[in-house]
Amino acid sequence: MAITATSSRLLGEMLVKEALITPEVLDLALARVKTSGELLGEALVAMGAVGANDVLRVVAMQHSLPYLSRDELPSTLPGVKNLSLKYLRQYGVCPLSVEGSALTVATSDPLNPVITDDLRQVTGMQIKLVVSPLDAITEALERAYEGAATPLQRIVEGMEDDRVVTSQQVPIGGTTTQTAQNTTSVVGTQSVEYRDAGVILTVTPRIGEKGTVALDVKQEVNDIGAAEPPTGSRRIIKREAETSVVLINNQTLVLGGLIRERTSIEDRGIPLLKDIPILGYLFGAKVRTLNKTELVIVITPRVIGTPLDAARVTDDILRSNPEAAASMRLSPRPPSTAPRPLVPPTPAPQ
């Protein structure tokens, strides 16, 4: 049991009030704390006066925190991004529920600020604490992550977003600030920012226990539009679609739906003659063109468990894509660390 800081006297009085110890035992424990440097709860447990779980339950009462026993912890735990099983074991916590931007976790060390601060930084969420014994938390983690009832409850450690960007940077004119120089001139300063115009694909994968893969896919297409007065900056036409799917290993997913229609009118004909009023129709024509395009994305997830699997998948990709194979052959290689072979000296000519 790890309790980093608490008021010994108040904790002792609450234990006496709950009839878990007697005042005489409290006095003996306080005297032991002064000489041993232990916390009051640790001293009482070492003396055999009270159980560790009872002390933890009273600590939760002291700080107005909920307390859950072993049987009260849920059998199904939510998967939270960046919270791997290794991380949860290290801090002795387990996620209980997610409500909006708030994450509720069970911990056996509710007074340790390091745990709360690190969880808030890693998840980017508000943290709510529930107190529970460490052995109960460990058992809940093993039950939920090692023998998950559903494949998606077991989240692969260290999963991050994969982002593919095929675009160009387009300058967008911002605000103009005018500055007076002496009394006769005004100098204007215009800020410019660059925006991505093209295709942006963001994929967040989560691998289940039986080879299933959950994908959060976000497609974004930004097109360059007409110039906007007064800055003359190009308008950015944005189209976006998001979806979540569950696939099995090596199953192909086809995503579409981002359709664009563009109409253009081109004035063709004999120069100069086509501009003559009325008679110009005999020497020119207006061509109306309708272009319709649809973005289709094909995704095939492959679960790689060993370096041998990674090499096999790489070979399959290179065999099916000659351009990728050629790029691999032409790519620079790191210098070899193997010892250089000994070359016998060339005999001098006679």
Side-chain angles (χ1 to χ4, degrees):
M1 179 185 62
I3 302 175
T4 58
T6 188
S7 172
S8 297
R9 174 60 62 178
L10 180 57
L11 175 61
E13 292 175 354
M14 294 186 67
L15 289 170
V16 173
K17 184 179 179 180
E18 293 292 319
L20 295 173
I21 61 174
T22 62
E24 293 77 15
V25 172
L26 175 59
D27 293 337
L28 293 175
L30 290 174
R32 171 172 173 159
V33 167
K34 292 180 180 179
T35 57
S36 65
E38 296 173 303
L39 297 174
L40 178 60
E42 296 172 342
L44 288 169
V45 173
M47 293 168 56
V50 68
N53 292 347
D54 291 330
V55 174
L56 194 60
R57 179 172 57 84
V58 174
V59 169
M61 294 173 52
Q62 180 183 1
H63 295 275
S64 302
L65 294 174
Y67 178 85
L68 295 180
S69 63
R70 180 193 307 269
D71 297 333
E72 293 173 326
L73 285 176
S75 58
T76 301
L77 303 181
V80 181
K81 181 182 176 181
N82 296 335
L83 292 187
S84 64
L85 180 58
K86 180 180 179 181
Y87 179 94
L88 297 174
R89 284 173 173 169
Q90 176 184 353
Y91 282 101
V93 298
C94 69
L96 299 180
S97 64
V98 178
E99 298 179 0
S101 60
L103 170 64
T104 302
V105 299
T107 176
S108 63
D109 197 356
L111 305 181
N112 188 349
V114 176
I115 296 178
T116 306
D117 293 343
D118 197 68
L119 281 171
R120 187 182 299 111
Q121 182 178 359
V122 169
T123 62
M125 307 175 71
Q126 299 177 0
I127 305 301
K128 297 182 179 180
L129 296 181
V130 172
V131 182
S132 187
L134 180 59
D135 55 349
I137 291 175
T138 303
E139 183 178 325
L141 291 175
E142 296 296 333
R143 182 174 60 248
Y145 283 82
E146 296 297 340
T150 60
L152 292 184
Q153 292 172 2
R154 187 172 183 178
I155 307 301
V156 170
E157 302 180 8
M159 274 296 175
E160 298 291 342
D161 294 343
D162 292 329
R163 196 165 186 260
V164 179
V165 179
T166 304
S167 64
Q168 57 179 327
Q169 293 283 324
V170 180
I172 305 297
T175 59
T176 301
T177 304
Q178 294 184 350
T179 305
Q181 297 287 339
N182 298 328
T183 57
T184 59
S185 62
V186 176
V187 178
T189 303
Q190 183 179 16
S191 62
V192 177
E193 64 173 325
Y194 286 84
R195 297 275 300 276
D196 286 325
V199 179
I200 302 175
L201 176 65
T202 304
V203 180
T204 304
R206 298 189 300 276
I207 302 177
E209 183 182 12
K210 297 182 180 180
T212 58
V213 181
L215 298 176
D216 295 332
V217 183
K218 178 180 179 181
Q219 310 171 63
E220 181 178 337
V221 179
N222 298 325
D223 293 326
I224 304 174
E228 292 289 336
T231 61
S233 299
R234 293 286 184 175
R235 179 190 304 172
I236 299 297
I237 304 173
K238 182 177 181 180
R239 293 172 294 147
E240 184 177 305
E242 294 187 36
T243 185
S244 298
V245 295
V246 179
L247 306 175
I248 61 175
N249 187 25
N250 285 333
Q251 182 181 3
T252 300
L253 169 69
V254 180
L255 295 177
L258 293 181
I259 302 174
R260 180 188 65 185
E261 291 186 0
R262 176 177 294 179
T263 303
S264 61
I265 299 177
E266 185 179 359
D267 193 1
R268 297 181 181 179
I270 302 175
L272 300 179
L273 295 180
K274 65 182 178 63
D275 298 326
I276 300 175
I278 302 177
L279 296 179
Y281 290 103
L282 301 175
F283 303 99
K286 293 184 179 295
V287 179
R288 182 185 180 92
T289 304
L290 175 63
N291 292 325
K292 185 176 181 180
T293 59
E294 179 178 3
L295 175 64
V296 177
I297 298 176
V298 181
I299 300 177
T300 304
R302 300 187 182 185
V303 179
I304 299 175
T306 63
L308 183 60
D309 294 339
R312 186 182 300 111
V313 171
T314 302
D315 292 340
D316 293 342
I317 294 176
L318 294 180
R319 282 197 298 267
S320 61
N321 192 337
E323 294 182 357
S327 300
M328 286 288 292
R329 287 193 299 267
L330 298 177
S331 61
R333 301 298 178 88
S336 176
T337 57
R340 298 180 61 181
L342 297 178
V343 180
T346 304
Q350 299 293 335

